[in-house]
Amino acid sequence: MDIQQSRQSDEADLQRAYVHLAEAQRLSHTGSFTWDFDRGELLWSEELCRIFEFDPATTVTTDRVGQYVHPDDLPAFAAVLEGAAAGRDIDFPYRIITASGVLKHLHAVGHRIEHDADRPVIIGAVQDVTERRVAEEALSRARAELAHVARVATLSALTASIAHEVNQPLTSLVTNASTCLRMLAADPPNLELAHTTAQRTIRDANRASDVIARLRAMFVRKDGAVEAVDVNGAAAEVLALSSSELQRTQVDLRSDFASDLPNIRGDRIQLQQVVLNLVLNARDAMLAVDKRPRTLKVSTKVDDTGQVLLSVRDAGSGIAPDRLDRLFDTFFTTKSEGMGVGLSISRSIIQSHGGRLWAANNADGLGATFSFSIPLAGADGEGTHDD
Ligand code: ADP
């Protein structure tokens, strides 16, 4: 082969490699770039231009790229440029809005290599992750939807008990209001008793409206509201809502709440949903128990590692060892009317708070205890006490 032929074959190889690379970039929605700071040169692959809807013939500058970065991501974009110039690696998820108005989720990675004569050059890749991100968002919406449906379904099981909860103060309110009227109509009017019964009327009305407010909070969907949560208070509200139902099924409810429990950060309603699931499961597990008291104990404490721990202990059927792992699988149920989603949703709620939810049979062989622990740093990784 003479030199001429050899060069032609090298060029053909190079051309093939280039076509393969361009095809691989297109298939994986990944573009590449090199960035020479000193010369202010930014070289983009065809795929990267396609992602940004740039004409490959035009000159790309960081300013021009910045014009398409989503306004909310601009400060982070500026920080990444600054970091890259200072020699730091790039690992940056961000969004752009292209000239035709399309929102895209991108992920850029890059690192610095020393080029000719110590001239630093950044070499990197940008992947269009829009499809994956959209699928993730749809999945998380579907999960939230399912959690909401499960919550409403669980609360529906409490309807009779809740109606009783609202009815009690209403009945008492009507009695007190009529007594008050009678005291005022008496001759002479008994103002002192009228005053007392009027006060009782107000107290009863407040009790009824408290129950409704609690219910409304749990039924109405509120997504991702992260706040300081007093786990004792949140659990006490759930117990108040379910207490008539527990009484109806002869469950002896006890609670042992640590008085020095620090707040965690999280979604109060979601955590209440977990407690409600655990309490109603404990009740279900004791329905068949007749020969011993149906004792249900809800306790809270700070555990050895400083996390907030809540446990629900029952004296029910206990859990067969081969089921211990499967309880948390979605759609695993042993109940004829069960949906089998309560524990799996509860576990994902606790995990989204950075915590753990687990089950164990009681040491005395009677019943099981479900517990969760949540680190004080909580869902958004900051603060502990009430703020
Ligand atoms: P469901 O209550 O609709 O069955 P869950 O996901 O809440 O769905 O519970 C799944 C299964 O875990 C239940 O069907 C039951 O077999 C078991 N389980 C849950 N809590 C307890 C408990 N306290 N004691 C014994 N088994 C339990």
Side-chain angles (χ1 to χ4, degrees):
M1 212 190 314
D2 63 17
I3 294 176
Q4 180 73 19
Q5 278 175 325
S6 153
R7 187 173 297 145
Q8 278 173 354
S9 130
D10 283 353
E11 274 173 13
D13 283 351
L14 207 62
Q15 185 61 27
R16 249 196 314 277
Y18 177 77
V19 170
H20 286 172
L21 182 65
E23 186 62 11
Q25 291 209 351
R26 203 177 60 77
L27 285 173
S28 63
H29 306 301
T30 308
S32 56
F33 66 88
T34 54
W35 178 18
D36 182 331
F37 301 116
D38 294 354
R39 295 199 175 159
E41 273 176 15
L42 207 51
L43 290 180
W44 278 28
S45 74
E46 248 171 57
E47 178 61 14
L48 192 48
C49 290
R50 199 196 57 76
I51 291 172
F52 271 77
E53 296 177 4
F54 284 178
D55 177 351
T58 57
T59 313
V60 182
T61 60
T62 51
D63 282 349
R64 179 151 177 235
V65 176
Q67 287 169 14
Y68 296 95
V69 171
H70 191 287
D72 292 350
D73 294 339
L74 268 177
F77 177 69
V80 165
L81 291 186
E82 211 172 283
R88 284 196 288 281
D89 283 352
I90 300 176
D91 185 350
F92 178 47
Y94 63 112
R95 291 158 298 170
I96 58 167
I97 300 170
T98 66
S100 67
V102 179
L103 173 76
K104 294 187 179 182
H105 292 267
L106 307 184
H107 192 148
V109 288
H111 79 122
R112 191 166 147 135
I113 50 170
E114 297 306 327
H115 212 243
D116 328 324
D118 288 345
R119 243 187 33 242
V121 167
I122 288 194
I123 180 153
V126 179
Q127 189 173 26
D128 181 346
V129 292
T130 312
E131 279 175 28
R132 197 194 317 156
R133 195 53 56 80
V134 167
E136 277 167 6
E137 279 167 9
L139 183 65
S140 115
R141 263 199 311 278
R143 243 191 226 126
E145 204 73 54
L146 180 62
H148 177 66
V149 169
R151 182 160 76 226
V152 172
T154 318
L155 285 167
S156 307
L158 288 181
T159 312
S161 131
I162 289 162
H164 175 78
E165 199 84 3
V166 182
N167 250 339
Q168 242 182 354
L170 288 184
T171 316
S172 158
L173 191 150
V174 172
T175 315
N176 278 315
S178 5
T179 314
C180 181
L181 284 180
R182 252 190 302 114
M183 294 303 121
L184 290 174
D187 193 14
N190 185 340
L191 289 182
E192 201 180 325
L193 208 51
H195 185 80
T196 313
T197 47
Q199 269 175 340
R200 286 195 191 132
T201 312
I202 295 172
R203 180 204 61 192
D204 295 333
N206 284 337
R207 261 173 57 201
S209 83
D210 280 352
V211 176
I212 289 165
R214 281 203 294 268
L215 268 181
R216 192 185 298 136
M218 288 193 75
F219 268 112
V220 171
R221 168 108 166 256
K222 209 170 73 169
D223 273 334
V226 173
E227 57 188 346
V229 182
D230 157 28
V231 173
N232 286 345
E237 277 184 21
V238 171
L239 297 184
L241 267 184
S242 33
S243 71
S244 318
E245 174 64 17
L246 295 175
Q247 269 167 28
R248 193 182 65 79
T249 44
Q250 287 97 45
V251 171
D252 172 18
L253 173 65
R254 301 177 186 194
S255 58
D256 180 12
F257 291 164
S259 54
D260 57 349
L261 204 67
N263 287 337
I264 56 157
R265 288 194 66 81
D267 184 321
R268 191 169 199 274
I269 300 288
Q270 286 188 357
L271 293 172
Q272 288 188 311
Q273 176 172 5
V274 174
V275 178
L276 183 61
N277 274 330
L278 299 183
V279 165
L280 293 181
N281 275 345
R283 186 263 331 244
D284 291 347
M286 294 194 289
L287 285 178
V289 169
D290 284 324
K291 300 209 166 57
R292 56 176 182 268
R294 296 179 178 172
T295 312
L296 188 160
K297 186 164 174 189
V298 181
S299 9
T300 59
K301 65 173 186 179
V302 177
D303 74 7
D304 303 341
T305 60
Q307 306 202 2
V308 167
L309 184 138
L310 180 142
S311 51
V312 178
R313 181 191 167 104
D314 63 58
S317 52
I319 305 157
D322 61 321
R323 282 192 188 149
L324 265 173
D325 280 345
R326 293 162 58 211
L327 299 186
F328 296 93
D329 291 350
T330 312
F331 305 128
F332 175 84
T333 181
T334 55
K335 303 173 193 169
S336 53
E337 311 256 292
M339 288 207 293
V341 295
L343 285 179
S344 89
I345 288 174
S346 299
R347 181 170 264 181
S348 69
I349 289 177
I350 297 300
Q351 283 172 346
S352 74
H353 285 75
R356 269 187 339 116
L357 167 67
W358 68 97
N361 282 311
N362 295 333
D364 61 9
L366 305 176
T369 299
F370 283 72
S371 318
F372 66 74
S373 61
I374 294 186
L376 298 189
D380 61 357
E382 39 164 292
T384 55
H385 284 270
D386 219 340
D387 40 28

